[in-house]
Amino acid sequence: MIPLVWLAVRIAAAIGVVVATFGYALTGVHTDVLLGAGFGVAVGVGVGLRGGSGSHPWTGILIGSAVGVVAAYLSGAMSVGWGVILPPLLPLAVGLIDGLGPSPLSGYRDVIRETFILAVLLGLGFIPALVAGDFDLEPLLAVFPLLAMPWTALLVGLVSRRREGWDGATPPRLLVLGAVALPVLMGLAFGFGVIREDDGLTGAMAVLGVVLTIILSILVIPLVAFLGGRAAANWLRPRLEVYGQLAAYLRVMWVPIGGFAVGYLTIIFLFAGFYGTLERVTPGSFAGAGTAITDWLSFAFFTALGQDFTALSPVSLGARMLVGAHLILSAGWALVLFAAVMSSIGPKLDRIARHLADDGRD
């Protein structure tokens, strides 16, 4: 139980950081960001936990982040209504799972199962926004993904049925009946709200507007979202496998990288003290010098990277010599430690390369 909770916390934290930062960059409305984060966390955690405590969290993080960012973008940056925000999210998530999952969807049964699970997760994604109460949102709106589930599953199945290995070319009757209910309900809802009582040009235009809105909401947008999500996932999948192979190398190099960072930061802290001491003993050694240690730390950090720090600059001969010594020591530390690390972990990297090559042949 504890491994599952820890996995869920890691996935939720990663998605929350991604969606919140992108959300606030796209829009300053807290409600939109909260809604996107709710959708993203619900879908990402649900997808990530499907494989149990031994599953890899990256699939859930990627899918949840994509769903959350799209929701925040549509609701905040585009400022569109709920009728445009909700329809693409469910097919988008299904398309991403179809491309990033362990295996592509191979029949209507797989599509119905995945679509139903994602619809429930999207319904749960409304909870943070409803609890916050920042806007008037009917709780019944949270069941809209479930109402759209049969129609989405039918569209996905019809688009994917020509795929090699697809099980069953004819959709189940119950799925078709459930899918028909969505356009009927939307037609009634739009009809009562939009169509005028008169039978002139205004009424005809209203009818045409209702028809176009329904076609756009339940056909065009979901198809574009599903096909776009699946295409993006198919493009990403082989490239993400490269990072999976790099993980083995990073585990071996994690300790040396940490050792290099500790040494590098130690040099920065030491020379920050040297710079501050020189300015105290010989005032005027640095132009623009202040009294705060943060100024010297910033100057030492940029000097170690070989970059100019505009707020400070060495003026006296002693200051320039100290900066030169800092640059030489920083470069020498990087070269010496790199050579030492490669000589010590070289055999381990060779074993990992042979292991990956054997797996690729199998």
Side-chain angles (χ1 to χ4, degrees):
M1 187 65 180
I2 294 179
L4 287 176
V5 173
W6 174 236
L7 177 63
V9 169
R10 286 188 295 161
I11 295 174
I15 295 173
V17 170
V18 173
V19 176
T21 52
F22 272 88
Y24 280 112
L26 294 169
T27 175
V29 181
H30 302 299
T31 300
D32 299 331
V33 178
L34 184 62
L35 190 65
F39 286 147
V41 170
V43 171
V45 171
V47 171
L49 295 182
R50 290 287 298 278
S53 59
S55 64
H56 203 283
W58 288 110
T59 301
I61 292 174
L62 285 173
I63 295 176
S65 298
V67 171
V69 170
V70 169
Y73 174 74
L74 291 176
S75 61
M78 298 296 291
S79 298
V80 296
W82 296 105
V84 180
I85 295 173
L86 295 177
L89 296 183
L90 182 56
L92 173 64
V94 176
L96 291 172
I97 287 180
D98 191 23
L100 291 176
S103 60
L105 303 177
S106 59
Y108 282 101
R109 179 175 297 181
D110 292 343
V111 172
I112 292 172
R113 182 186 65 249
E114 295 297 333
T115 308
F116 175 76
I117 293 173
L118 289 170
V120 173
L121 294 174
L122 286 175
L124 295 175
F126 280 103
I127 293 178
L130 290 172
V131 172
D134 292 333
F135 58 95
D136 294 331
L137 178 64
E138 293 294 336
L140 291 178
L141 189 59
V143 305
F144 181 84
L146 287 175
L147 296 176
M149 185 275 295
W151 179 264
T152 302
L154 180 63
L155 286 181
V156 172
L158 293 175
V159 172
S160 306
R161 64 177 181 173
R162 297 185 181 274
R163 174 187 295 168
E164 183 179 355
W166 183 262
D167 184 16
T170 304
R173 293 181 180 179
L174 290 178
L175 179 63
V176 175
L177 292 176
V180 171
L182 180 63
V184 171
L185 291 176
M186 291 188 65
L188 292 175
F190 280 108
F192 285 121
V194 177
I195 297 179
R196 300 290 190 270
E197 293 182 359
D198 59 342
D199 54 356
L201 182 61
T202 303
M205 294 299 294
V207 172
L208 180 60
V210 168
V211 173
L212 292 177
T213 301
I214 294 176
I215 292 175
L216 182 68
S217 299
I218 69 175
L219 185 61
V220 178
I221 293 177
L223 282 178
V224 171
F226 170 72
L227 295 175
R230 187 173 67 178
N234 289 331
W235 185 86
L236 279 173
R237 185 169 185 172
R239 290 155 180 82
L240 293 176
E241 290 176 354
V242 175
Y243 288 100
Q245 296 176 357
L246 290 177
Y249 292 98
L250 292 177
R251 283 193 293 269
V252 174
M253 299 182 65
W254 180 249
V255 174
I257 290 174
F260 170 78
V262 170
Y264 213 70
L265 291 175
T266 300
I267 294 174
I268 290 174
F269 273 90
L270 285 175
F271 274 87
F274 293 157
Y275 295 140
T277 300
L278 179 62
E279 178 63 25
R280 293 283 187 179
V281 174
T282 309
S285 297
F286 292 88
T291 58
I293 186 62
T294 54
D295 294 336
W296 300 115
L297 286 172
S298 300
F299 178 72
F301 178 79
F302 280 92
T303 300
L305 297 177
Q307 301 293 323
D308 293 331
F309 185 63
T310 56
L312 282 171
S313 60
V315 175
S316 67
L317 177 62
R320 290 196 292 268
M321 292 179 61
L322 191 60
V323 169
H326 187 184
L327 289 171
I328 293 173
L329 185 58
S330 298
W333 172 257
L335 292 175
V336 171
L337 188 65
F338 178 78
V341 167
M342 292 307 299
S343 63
S344 63
I345 68 175
K348 297 179 181 178
L349 297 180
D350 292 338
R351 286 196 297 268
I352 293 174
R354 289 194 297 269
H355 178 71
L356 292 175
D358 293 339
D359 290 342
R361 287 193 292 270
D362 294 340

mmCIF file of all heavy atoms in Angstrom, residues 6-51:
data_model
loop_
_atom_site.group_PDB
_atom_site.id
_atom_site.type_symbol
_atom_site.label_atom_id
_atom_site.label_comp_id
_atom_site.label_asym_id
_atom_site.label_seq_id
_atom_site.Cartn_x
_atom_site.Cartn_y
_atom_site.Cartn_z
ATOM 1 N N TRP A 6 3.136 6.257 -2.401
ATOM 2 C CA TRP A 6 4.331 7.035 -2.755
ATOM 3 C C TRP A 6 4.386 7.280 -4.262
ATOM 4 O O TRP A 6 4.739 8.374 -4.717
ATOM 5 C CB TRP A 6 5.567 6.305 -2.279
ATOM 6 C CG TRP A 6 6.870 6.919 -2.703
ATOM 7 C CD1 TRP A 6 7.872 6.314 -3.399
ATOM 8 C CD2 TRP A 6 7.314 8.260 -2.462
ATOM 9 N NE1 TRP A 6 8.906 7.185 -3.619
ATOM 10 C CE2 TRP A 6 8.595 8.390 -3.056
ATOM 11 C CE3 TRP A 6 6.750 9.355 -1.815
ATOM 12 C CZ2 TRP A 6 9.312 9.576 -3.008
ATOM 13 C CZ3 TRP A 6 7.475 10.545 -1.774
ATOM 14 C CH2 TRP A 6 8.733 10.642 -2.362
ATOM 15 N N LEU A 7 4.015 6.264 -5.055
ATOM 16 C CA LEU A 7 3.979 6.430 -6.507
ATOM 17 C C LEU A 7 2.950 7.486 -6.900
ATOM 18 O O LEU A 7 3.213 8.347 -7.750
ATOM 19 C CB LEU A 7 3.660 5.097 -7.171
ATOM 20 C CG LEU A 7 3.524 5.106 -8.702
ATOM 21 C CD1 LEU A 7 4.847 5.506 -9.352
ATOM 22 C CD2 LEU A 7 3.073 3.736 -9.199
ATOM 23 N N ALA A 8 1.762 7.437 -6.288
ATOM 24 C CA ALA A 8 0.725 8.423 -6.596
ATOM 25 C C ALA A 8 1.171 9.831 -6.220
ATOM 26 O O ALA A 8 0.908 10.795 -6.959
ATOM 27 C CB ALA A 8 -0.570 8.059 -5.866
ATOM 28 N N VAL A 9 1.850 9.969 -5.096
ATOM 29 C CA VAL A 9 2.322 11.294 -4.663
ATOM 30 C C VAL A 9 3.342 11.842 -5.648
ATOM 31 O O VAL A 9 3.307 13.031 -6.023
ATOM 32 C CB VAL A 9 2.917 11.197 -3.243
ATOM 33 C CG1 VAL A 9 3.646 12.484 -2.875
ATOM 34 C CG2 VAL A 9 1.824 10.910 -2.227
ATOM 35 N N ARG A 10 4.260 11.008 -6.105
ATOM 36 C CA ARG A 10 5.270 11.465 -7.063
ATOM 37 C C ARG A 10 4.636 11.900 -8.383
ATOM 38 O O ARG A 10 5.002 12.938 -8.954
ATOM 39 C CB ARG A 10 6.293 10.353 -7.326
ATOM 40 C CG ARG A 10 7.274 10.132 -6.171
ATOM 41 C CD ARG A 10 8.347 9.159 -6.600
ATOM 42 N NE ARG A 10 7.781 7.843 -6.864
ATOM 43 C CZ ARG A 10 8.382 6.913 -7.587
ATOM 44 N NH1 ARG A 10 9.534 7.172 -8.165
ATOM 45 N NH2 ARG A 10 7.816 5.732 -7.756
ATOM 46 N N ILE A 11 3.692 11.099 -8.871
ATOM 47 C CA ILE A 11 3.031 11.448 -10.126
ATOM 48 C C ILE A 11 2.240 12.740 -9.972
ATOM 49 O O ILE A 11 2.310 13.645 -10.820
ATOM 50 C CB ILE A 11 2.113 10.296 -10.576
ATOM 51 C CG1 ILE A 11 2.936 9.051 -10.916
ATOM 52 C CG2 ILE A 11 1.279 10.709 -11.781
ATOM 53 C CD1 ILE A 11 2.094 7.838 -11.223
ATOM 54 N N ALA A 12 1.474 12.856 -8.885
ATOM 55 C CA ALA A 12 0.663 14.053 -8.662
ATOM 56 C C ALA A 12 1.535 15.297 -8.518
ATOM 57 O O ALA A 12 1.200 16.365 -9.053
ATOM 58 C CB ALA A 12 -0.218 13.865 -7.428
ATOM 59 N N ALA A 13 2.655 15.170 -7.803
ATOM 60 C CA ALA A 13 3.532 16.323 -7.613
ATOM 61 C C ALA A 13 4.132 16.781 -8.941
ATOM 62 O O ALA A 13 4.171 17.984 -9.236
ATOM 63 C CB ALA A 13 4.642 15.973 -6.621
ATOM 64 N N ALA A 14 4.579 15.835 -9.758
ATOM 65 C CA ALA A 14 5.170 16.199 -11.048
ATOM 66 C C ALA A 14 4.141 16.863 -11.955
ATOM 67 O O ALA A 14 4.419 17.902 -12.586
ATOM 68 C CB ALA A 14 5.757 14.958 -11.722
ATOM 69 N N ILE A 15 2.945 16.289 -12.027
ATOM 70 C CA ILE A 15 1.903 16.869 -12.878
ATOM 71 C C ILE A 15 1.483 18.237 -12.346
ATOM 72 O O ILE A 15 1.266 19.176 -13.121
ATOM 73 C CB ILE A 15 0.694 15.926 -12.952
ATOM 74 C CG1 ILE A 15 1.082 14.631 -13.658
ATOM 75 C CG2 ILE A 15 -0.472 16.584 -13.685
ATOM 76 C CD1 ILE A 15 0.002 13.581 -13.637
ATOM 77 N N GLY A 16 1.350 18.365 -11.028
ATOM 78 C CA GLY A 16 0.963 19.643 -10.450
ATOM 79 C C GLY A 16 1.940 20.753 -10.787
ATOM 80 O O GLY A 16 1.532 21.874 -11.120
ATOM 81 N N VAL A 17 3.238 20.450 -10.732
ATOM 82 C CA VAL A 17 4.252 21.457 -11.064
ATOM 83 C C VAL A 17 4.145 21.857 -12.533
ATOM 84 O O VAL A 17 4.151 23.047 -12.876
ATOM 85 C CB VAL A 17 5.667 20.918 -10.749
ATOM 86 C CG1 VAL A 17 6.732 21.852 -11.311
ATOM 87 C CG2 VAL A 17 5.843 20.760 -9.247
ATOM 88 N N VAL A 18 4.017 20.870 -13.423
ATOM 89 C CA VAL A 18 3.959 21.166 -14.860
ATOM 90 C C VAL A 18 2.706 21.964 -15.200
ATOM 91 O O VAL A 18 2.772 23.011 -15.866
ATOM 92 C CB VAL A 18 3.993 19.854 -15.679
ATOM 93 C CG1 VAL A 18 3.754 20.144 -17.156
ATOM 94 C CG2 VAL A 18 5.324 19.150 -15.491
ATOM 95 N N VAL A 19 1.546 21.488 -14.751
ATOM 96 C CA VAL A 19 0.290 22.139 -15.118
ATOM 97 C C VAL A 19 0.189 23.520 -14.470
ATOM 98 O O VAL A 19 -0.276 24.480 -15.109
ATOM 99 C CB VAL A 19 -0.910 21.256 -14.721
ATOM 100 C CG1 VAL A 19 -2.220 21.973 -15.020
ATOM 101 C CG2 VAL A 19 -0.861 19.933 -15.473
ATOM 102 N N ALA A 20 0.610 23.644 -13.223
ATOM 103 C CA ALA A 20 0.510 24.940 -12.552
ATOM 104 C C ALA A 20 1.395 25.986 -13.218
ATOM 105 O O ALA A 20 0.969 27.122 -13.459
ATOM 106 C CB ALA A 20 0.870 24.796 -11.079
ATOM 107 N N THR A 21 2.639 25.620 -13.535
ATOM 108 C CA THR A 21 3.533 26.599 -14.153
ATOM 109 C C THR A 21 3.055 26.982 -15.553
ATOM 110 O O THR A 21 3.017 28.173 -15.897
ATOM 111 C CB THR A 21 4.959 26.037 -14.222
ATOM 112 O OG1 THR A 21 4.934 24.737 -14.836
ATOM 113 C CG2 THR A 21 5.556 25.908 -12.837
ATOM 114 N N PHE A 22 2.684 25.978 -16.363
ATOM 115 C CA PHE A 22 2.176 26.306 -17.688
ATOM 116 C C PHE A 22 0.831 27.023 -17.589
ATOM 117 O O PHE A 22 0.546 27.929 -18.374
ATOM 118 C CB PHE A 22 2.030 25.027 -18.526
ATOM 119 C CG PHE A 22 3.270 24.654 -19.281
ATOM 120 C CD1 PHE A 22 4.236 23.865 -18.696
ATOM 121 C CD2 PHE A 22 3.477 25.107 -20.568
ATOM 122 C CE1 PHE A 22 5.386 23.513 -19.375
ATOM 123 C CE2 PHE A 22 4.615 24.758 -21.270
ATOM 124 C CZ PHE A 22 5.582 23.966 -20.667
ATOM 125 N N GLY A 23 -0.006 26.609 -16.647
ATOM 126 C CA GLY A 23 -1.312 27.231 -16.504
ATOM 127 C C GLY A 23 -1.217 28.706 -16.169
ATOM 128 O O GLY A 23 -1.895 29.541 -16.786
ATOM 129 N N TYR A 24 -0.362 29.050 -15.201
ATOM 130 C CA TYR A 24 -0.232 30.456 -14.832
ATOM 131 C C TYR A 24 0.510 31.250 -15.902
ATOM 132 O O TYR A 24 0.358 32.467 -15.978
ATOM 133 C CB TYR A 24 0.477 30.586 -13.490
ATOM 134 C CG TYR A 24 -0.452 30.344 -12.325
ATOM 135 C CD1 TYR A 24 -0.297 29.225 -11.510
ATOM 136 C CD2 TYR A 24 -1.496 31.216 -12.048
ATOM 137 C CE1 TYR A 24 -1.154 28.979 -10.450
ATOM 138 C CE2 TYR A 24 -2.358 30.976 -10.993
ATOM 139 C CZ TYR A 24 -2.179 29.868 -10.201
ATOM 140 O OH TYR A 24 -3.040 29.630 -9.160
ATOM 141 N N ALA A 25 1.324 30.576 -16.717
ATOM 142 C CA ALA A 25 1.943 31.276 -17.841
ATOM 143 C C ALA A 25 0.922 31.561 -18.937
ATOM 144 O O ALA A 25 1.039 32.561 -19.651
ATOM 145 C CB ALA A 25 3.098 30.442 -18.405
ATOM 146 N N LEU A 26 -0.082 30.670 -19.063
ATOM 147 C CA LEU A 26 -1.120 30.846 -20.083
ATOM 148 C C LEU A 26 -2.224 31.788 -19.627
ATOM 149 O O LEU A 26 -2.752 32.572 -20.415
ATOM 150 C CB LEU A 26 -1.727 29.493 -20.452
ATOM 151 C CG LEU A 26 -0.801 28.497 -21.150
ATOM 152 C CD1 LEU A 26 -1.452 27.129 -21.203
ATOM 153 C CD2 LEU A 26 -0.452 28.978 -22.539
ATOM 154 N N THR A 27 -2.606 31.692 -18.365
ATOM 155 C CA THR A 27 -3.714 32.482 -17.840
ATOM 156 C C THR A 27 -3.474 32.760 -16.367
ATOM 157 O O THR A 27 -2.880 31.959 -15.653
ATOM 158 C CB THR A 27 -5.054 31.737 -18.013
ATOM 159 O OG1 THR A 27 -6.083 32.494 -17.383
ATOM 160 C CG2 THR A 27 -4.999 30.355 -17.392
ATOM 161 N N GLY A 28 -3.952 33.883 -15.897
ATOM 162 C CA GLY A 28 -3.813 34.223 -14.487
ATOM 163 C C GLY A 28 -5.037 33.885 -13.663
ATOM 164 O O GLY A 28 -5.121 34.268 -12.500
ATOM 165 N N VAL A 29 -5.992 33.170 -14.247
ATOM 166 C CA VAL A 29 -7.225 32.821 -13.539
ATOM 167 C C VAL A 29 -6.994 31.558 -12.730
ATOM 168 O O VAL A 29 -6.683 30.500 -13.286
ATOM 169 C CB VAL A 29 -8.390 32.620 -14.536
ATOM 170 C CG1 VAL A 29 -9.681 32.293 -13.793
ATOM 171 C CG2 VAL A 29 -8.567 33.866 -15.393
ATOM 172 N N HIS A 30 -7.128 31.651 -11.408
ATOM 173 C CA HIS A 30 -6.847 30.517 -10.539
ATOM 174 C C HIS A 30 -7.791 29.344 -10.820
ATOM 175 O O HIS A 30 -7.381 28.181 -10.736
ATOM 176 C CB HIS A 30 -6.983 30.938 -9.070
ATOM 177 C CG HIS A 30 -6.080 32.071 -8.690
ATOM 178 N ND1 HIS A 30 -4.704 31.988 -8.763
ATOM 179 C CD2 HIS A 30 -6.349 33.324 -8.248
ATOM 180 C CE1 HIS A 30 -4.157 33.128 -8.371
ATOM 181 N NE2 HIS A 30 -5.139 33.964 -8.062
ATOM 182 N N THR A 31 -9.036 29.654 -11.146
ATOM 183 C CA THR A 31 -10.006 28.587 -11.392
ATOM 184 C C THR A 31 -9.594 27.727 -12.574
ATOM 185 O O THR A 31 -9.677 26.500 -12.531
ATOM 186 C CB THR A 31 -11.395 29.187 -11.657
ATOM 187 O OG1 THR A 31 -11.801 29.939 -10.515
ATOM 188 C CG2 THR A 31 -12.408 28.089 -11.919
ATOM 189 N N ASP A 32 -9.117 28.357 -13.644
ATOM 190 C CA ASP A 32 -8.701 27.610 -14.827
ATOM 191 C C ASP A 32 -7.496 26.725 -14.520
ATOM 192 O O ASP A 32 -7.423 25.585 -14.978
ATOM 193 C CB ASP A 32 -8.376 28.568 -15.968
ATOM 194 C CG ASP A 32 -9.570 29.418 -16.373
ATOM 195 O OD1 ASP A 32 -10.707 28.930 -16.214
ATOM 196 O OD2 ASP A 32 -9.374 30.556 -16.816
ATOM 197 N N VAL A 33 -6.545 27.259 -13.777
ATOM 198 C CA VAL A 33 -5.370 26.460 -13.409
ATOM 199 C C VAL A 33 -5.763 25.303 -12.497
ATOM 200 O O VAL A 33 -5.278 24.174 -12.649
ATOM 201 C CB VAL A 33 -4.315 27.357 -12.730
ATOM 202 C CG1 VAL A 33 -3.109 26.532 -12.285
ATOM 203 C CG2 VAL A 33 -3.871 28.466 -13.672
ATOM 204 N N LEU A 34 -6.654 25.578 -11.557
ATOM 205 C CA LEU A 34 -7.104 24.524 -10.639
ATOM 206 C C LEU A 34 -7.851 23.436 -11.389
ATOM 207 O O LEU A 34 -7.685 22.242 -11.107
ATOM 208 C CB LEU A 34 -7.999 25.137 -9.563
ATOM 209 C CG LEU A 34 -8.483 24.194 -8.450
ATOM 210 C CD1 LEU A 34 -7.297 23.656 -7.665
ATOM 211 C CD2 LEU A 34 -9.442 24.924 -7.522
ATOM 212 N N LEU A 35 -8.656 23.830 -12.359
ATOM 213 C CA LEU A 35 -9.385 22.839 -13.143
ATOM 214 C C LEU A 35 -8.426 21.988 -13.965
ATOM 215 O O LEU A 35 -8.560 20.758 -14.023
ATOM 216 C CB LEU A 35 -10.383 23.545 -14.056
ATOM 217 C CG LEU A 35 -11.394 22.651 -14.783
ATOM 218 C CD1 LEU A 35 -12.330 21.980 -13.797
ATOM 219 C CD2 LEU A 35 -12.175 23.452 -15.799
ATOM 220 N N GLY A 36 -7.451 22.623 -14.627
ATOM 221 C CA GLY A 36 -6.476 21.868 -15.395
ATOM 222 C C GLY A 36 -5.659 20.936 -14.525
ATOM 223 O O GLY A 36 -5.394 19.782 -14.897
ATOM 224 N N ALA A 37 -5.251 21.419 -13.336
ATOM 225 C CA ALA A 37 -4.489 20.561 -12.423
ATOM 226 C C ALA A 37 -5.329 19.390 -11.942
ATOM 227 O O ALA A 37 -4.823 18.265 -11.815
ATOM 228 C CB ALA A 37 -3.991 21.385 -11.245
ATOM 229 N N GLY A 38 -6.621 19.628 -11.679
ATOM 230 C CA GLY A 38 -7.482 18.539 -11.239
ATOM 231 C C GLY A 38 -7.615 17.463 -12.299
ATOM 232 O O GLY A 38 -7.493 16.260 -12.010
ATOM 233 N N PHE A 39 -7.868 17.869 -13.538
ATOM 234 C CA PHE A 39 -7.952 16.895 -14.644
ATOM 235 C C PHE A 39 -6.636 16.142 -14.807
ATOM 236 O O PHE A 39 -6.614 14.916 -14.942
ATOM 237 C CB PHE A 39 -8.292 17.608 -15.957
ATOM 238 C CG PHE A 39 -9.722 18.047 -16.053
ATOM 239 C CD1 PHE A 39 -10.058 19.197 -16.743
ATOM 240 C CD2 PHE A 39 -10.736 17.313 -15.466
ATOM 241 C CE1 PHE A 39 -11.384 19.606 -16.849
ATOM 242 C CE2 PHE A 39 -12.063 17.716 -15.568
ATOM 243 C CZ PHE A 39 -12.378 18.864 -16.252
ATOM 244 N N GLY A 40 -5.531 16.892 -14.832
ATOM 245 C CA GLY A 40 -4.241 16.264 -15.075
ATOM 246 C C GLY A 40 -3.842 15.289 -13.985
ATOM 247 O O GLY A 40 -3.397 14.171 -14.271
ATOM 248 N N VAL A 41 -4.020 15.680 -12.720
ATOM 249 C CA VAL A 41 -3.637 14.800 -11.615
ATOM 250 C C VAL A 41 -4.512 13.559 -11.580
ATOM 251 O O VAL A 41 -4.024 12.437 -11.385
ATOM 252 C CB VAL A 41 -3.706 15.566 -10.276
ATOM 253 C CG1 VAL A 41 -3.563 14.602 -9.088
ATOM 254 C CG2 VAL A 41 -2.613 16.629 -10.220
ATOM 255 N N ALA A 42 -5.819 13.726 -11.772
ATOM 256 C CA ALA A 42 -6.727 12.573 -11.735
ATOM 257 C C ALA A 42 -6.375 11.567 -12.821
ATOM 258 O O ALA A 42 -6.237 10.361 -12.567
ATOM 259 C CB ALA A 42 -8.177 13.036 -11.885
ATOM 260 N N VAL A 43 -6.195 12.044 -14.056
ATOM 261 C CA VAL A 43 -5.877 11.137 -15.159
ATOM 262 C C VAL A 43 -4.481 10.557 -15.002
ATOM 263 O O VAL A 43 -4.266 9.347 -15.168
ATOM 264 C CB VAL A 43 -6.009 11.884 -16.511
ATOM 265 C CG1 VAL A 43 -5.477 11.020 -17.647
ATOM 266 C CG2 VAL A 43 -7.457 12.259 -16.755
ATOM 267 N N GLY A 44 -3.502 11.394 -14.662
ATOM 268 C CA GLY A 44 -2.125 10.913 -14.554
ATOM 269 C C GLY A 44 -1.944 9.888 -13.455
ATOM 270 O O GLY A 44 -1.291 8.848 -13.647
ATOM 271 N N VAL A 45 -2.509 10.147 -12.282
ATOM 272 C CA VAL A 45 -2.376 9.191 -11.172
ATOM 273 C C VAL A 45 -3.109 7.895 -11.512
ATOM 274 O O VAL A 45 -2.602 6.794 -11.256
ATOM 275 C CB VAL A 45 -2.917 9.804 -9.868
ATOM 276 C CG1 VAL A 45 -2.991 8.752 -8.769
ATOM 277 C CG2 VAL A 45 -2.027 10.966 -9.427
ATOM 278 N N GLY A 46 -4.300 8.013 -12.096
ATOM 279 C CA GLY A 46 -5.039 6.807 -12.464
ATOM 280 C C GLY A 46 -4.293 5.956 -13.467
ATOM 281 O O GLY A 46 -4.202 4.729 -13.332
ATOM 282 N N VAL A 47 -3.718 6.590 -14.490
ATOM 283 C CA VAL A 47 -2.962 5.847 -15.504
ATOM 284 C C VAL A 47 -1.686 5.277 -14.903
ATOM 285 O O VAL A 47 -1.307 4.130 -15.172
ATOM 286 C CB VAL A 47 -2.640 6.761 -16.698
ATOM 287 C CG1 VAL A 47 -1.678 6.076 -17.664
ATOM 288 C CG2 VAL A 47 -3.916 7.156 -17.418
ATOM 289 N N GLY A 48 -1.013 6.062 -14.070
ATOM 290 C CA GLY A 48 0.241 5.599 -13.493
ATOM 291 C C GLY A 48 0.087 4.439 -12.534
ATOM 292 O O GLY A 48 0.985 3.608 -12.403
ATOM 293 N N LEU A 49 -1.057 4.355 -11.862
ATOM 294 C CA LEU A 49 -1.280 3.279 -10.898
ATOM 295 C C LEU A 49 -1.853 2.021 -11.537
ATOM 296 O O LEU A 49 -2.024 1.018 -10.838
ATOM 297 C CB LEU A 49 -2.226 3.748 -9.785
ATOM 298 C CG LEU A 49 -1.713 4.854 -8.878
ATOM 299 C CD1 LEU A 49 -2.740 5.176 -7.800
ATOM 300 C CD2 LEU A 49 -0.388 4.467 -8.227
ATOM 301 N N ARG A 50 -2.164 2.060 -12.814
ATOM 302 C CA ARG A 50 -2.758 0.884 -13.451
ATOM 303 C C ARG A 50 -1.845 -0.332 -13.358
ATOM 304 O O ARG A 50 -2.307 -1.457 -13.228
ATOM 305 C CB ARG A 50 -3.068 1.169 -14.920
ATOM 306 C CG ARG A 50 -4.189 2.138 -15.163
ATOM 307 C CD ARG A 50 -5.545 1.525 -14.865
ATOM 308 N NE ARG A 50 -5.807 0.402 -15.738
ATOM 309 C CZ ARG A 50 -6.264 0.497 -16.976
ATOM 310 N NH1 ARG A 50 -6.499 1.701 -17.487
ATOM 311 N NH2 ARG A 50 -6.494 -0.578 -17.699
ATOM 312 N N GLY A 51 -0.536 -0.106 -13.432
ATOM 313 C CA GLY A 51 0.401 -1.224 -13.392
ATOM 314 C C GLY A 51 0.856 -1.604 -12.004
ATOM 315 O O GLY A 51 1.739 -2.448 -11.862
#
